[in-house]
Amino acid sequence: METTLRLQPVRQFRVMQTLSGNLGTAPSDNDSHTQGFNTSPFVEANTKEVSLSHLQNDCITPVFSKDNEVTISHPAFIETVHEAACAFFRGETIDSPNIRVSHIVKGRIPEAIHKPVNQLLESDKTIYYERMMFCFEIPTIHRDIDGNPLNLTVGGVRAYNHENLYSRKSAERFKVFVGFKNMVCCNMCVSTDGYKSEIKVMNTQSLFKAVMELLQFYNPEKHTRQMQNLLSSSMTEHQFAQFLGKSRLYQCLPQEEKRKLPLFLLTDTQINLVARAYYQDEDFGVDALGREISMWKVYNLLTGANKSSYIDNFLDRALNASRLAEGINKALYEESEYKWFIE
């Protein structure tokens, strides 16, 4: 009987520590697991990188308008997930969060309501970000697949556009994941048991508990094997072309036919990125001599294209890319569920 390893928490209760004591420092130039690799962002689209202190000191926190109850802020979300990771992975090195935001929401303080725009001071303005994603690496837990180092990574997404801020306070939605980040390209590898697409909570205590449950049930060895299995299969150029063509056709299928097929979330623009990277990507492009490409490389082309997703869609598409790569890998051996994409 196959045995599996699971991450086991060293504590089952919350560690009451300040975030400043937990965050640690960013990876140094001497870190063997990060040295020599690019620092491209894990999500691109229209995002920008910000610091935790910027979110804490320069941004307001939205409220539910009908009762003026405050929402769980972006900093509180980041702190809660980081504290849960520190409690669960006690003794491991846990890096500082890398935070990216998009869709800025601007406002003014009451004293500046009647000022012309060109006379506004920075102190007159208020801002917050509608969408925020963060992740932090645990570089002491790492794997290697085909020469690509992967660090265990924990993170989450908050999108206020998924909340009804015009109503009374209700359970708030969060997305949290644990998976691996490919250090060669900063692509996120997300599996089914490492992702909670909708955590609904009223407070940070419930959020902390939900994150701990996710970490407890995530199986890194199973996830690693799923990715390593992709190395044993490859697609011919013809099969890859079939896949690209069927991916474009998928969006135009009648609904009754589409419902019979597995879910496919990548956009036409992202499929174009996959096609371009097939020939041009230095790390995961096709073998110029054999014109075959391993499913591990195909998977990384998909996750690379996903970096162009908006924050609120990023994790769902990352998981979909994993399922798609695994499904097509099985279809190469005549399993039928994903066979439509390559036949």
Side-chain angles (χ1 to χ4, degrees):
M1 179 182 296
E2 182 184 30
T3 59
T4 59
L5 292 176
R6 288 189 181 275
L7 299 175
Q8 294 298 330
V10 297
R11 296 187 182 181
Q12 297 293 341
F13 57 90
R14 185 168 186 174
V15 178
M16 299 303 296
Q17 297 172 303
T18 63
L19 186 61
S20 60
N22 277 339
L23 282 180
T25 58
S28 70
D29 292 338
N30 295 323
D31 191 330
S32 61
H33 303 307
T34 59
Q35 188 177 10
F37 298 111
N38 66 54
T39 55
S40 64
F42 57 86
V43 59
E44 297 167 349
N46 63 338
T47 64
K48 69 174 184 178
E49 185 174 7
V50 298
S51 66
L52 182 63
S53 63
H54 170 66
L55 295 179
Q56 291 170 327
N57 303 320
D58 303 326
C59 299
I60 64 170
T61 301
V63 299
F64 291 92
S65 61
K66 284 195 174 179
D67 55 13
N68 208 32
E69 288 286 345
V70 70
T71 61
I72 298 173
S73 69
H74 291 332
F77 177 32
I78 297 169
E79 290 170 0
T80 300
V81 176
H82 198 277
E83 286 178 6
C86 288
F88 194 93
F89 299 108
R90 189 182 183 191
E92 304 289 351
T93 298
I94 300 180
D95 289 344
S96 302
N98 186 351
I99 307 166
R100 300 194 72 85
V101 295
S102 69
H103 296 77
I104 188 172
V105 180
K106 299 179 180 180
R108 302 182 180 198
I109 63 174
E111 293 80 4
I113 288 177
H114 301 293
K115 279 190 178 182
V117 173
N118 59 5
Q119 294 181 16
L120 285 175
L121 304 174
E122 287 303 314
S123 58
D124 295 330
K125 303 174 185 177
T126 65
I127 63 168
Y128 72 89
Y129 299 97
E130 182 183 82
R131 305 174 196 183
M132 183 277 301
M133 180 176 179
F134 72 95
C135 66
F136 48 85
E137 297 169 30
I138 307 174
T140 49
I141 302 177
H142 56 91
R143 302 289 185 270
D144 186 278
I145 298 179
D146 196 32
N148 299 159
L150 301 125
N151 284 355
L152 190 69
T153 302
V154 179
V157 163
R158 176 67 185 280
Y160 281 120
N161 58 309
H162 292 174
E163 308 286 352
N164 184 3
L165 296 180
Y166 298 101
S167 67
R168 297 183 183 278
K169 183 175 177 64
S170 58
E172 302 178 49
R173 297 173 176 85
F174 300 87
K175 299 181 180 184
V176 179
F177 76 97
V178 54
F180 286 94
K181 183 164 79 170
N182 191 335
M183 301 307 297
V184 169
C185 52
C186 293
N187 291 357
M188 288 292 181
C189 305
V190 181
S191 67
T192 303
D193 62 351
Y195 175 42
K196 285 194 174 183
S197 61
E198 189 174 69
I199 296 175
K200 292 184 178 181
V201 295
M202 295 292 290
N203 51 55
T204 55
Q205 290 77 20
S206 298
L207 178 60
F208 182 93
K209 180 180 178 181
V211 175
M212 290 292 282
E213 289 175 353
L214 174 65
L215 297 176
Q216 182 175 358
F217 287 103
Y218 173 65
N219 188 333
E221 301 306 324
K222 177 183 176 183
H223 189 188
T224 303
R225 284 196 301 274
Q226 289 172 340
M227 292 186 289
Q228 287 176 328
N229 288 340
L230 300 176
L231 286 171
S232 61
S233 303
S234 60
M235 300 177 73
T236 65
E237 190 171 59
H238 175 75
Q239 289 171 323
F240 190 80
Q242 286 289 107
F243 165 63
L244 294 180
K246 289 294 185 73
S247 299
R248 296 293 296 272
L249 287 175
Y250 179 90
Q251 305 299 338
C252 302
L253 286 173
Q255 285 300 320
E256 60 270 19
E257 292 188 35
K258 189 181 292 187
R259 281 194 290 266
K260 298 176 183 177
L261 297 172
L263 186 64
F264 184 85
L265 295 180
L266 296 184
T267 66
D268 285 351
T269 299
Q270 290 171 326
I271 291 301
N272 290 339
L273 293 175
V274 172
R276 185 180 301 116
Y278 176 78
Y279 291 110
Q280 298 179 4
D281 192 288
E282 295 181 358
D283 297 305
F284 304 110
V286 67
D287 182 350
L289 298 178
R291 286 302 183 191
E292 288 197 352
I293 184 169
S294 73
M295 285 305 303
W296 168 248
K297 289 185 175 182
V298 172
Y299 174 47
N300 278 278
L301 295 184
L302 295 174
T303 53
N306 182 48
K307 289 161 72 173
S308 67
S309 294
Y310 281 164
I311 284 175
D312 54 341
N313 295 320
F314 179 86
L315 289 177
D316 294 308
R317 288 179 180 162
L319 177 60
N320 188 243
S322 296
R323 289 172 171 170
L324 187 64
E326 292 171 15
I328 292 176
N329 188 43
K330 293 178 181 178
L332 293 172
Y333 297 95
E334 302 301 322
E335 294 196 23
S336 60
E337 186 180 8
Y338 284 79
K339 194 173 181 180
W340 179 86
F341 286 96
I342 59 172
E343 64 182 4

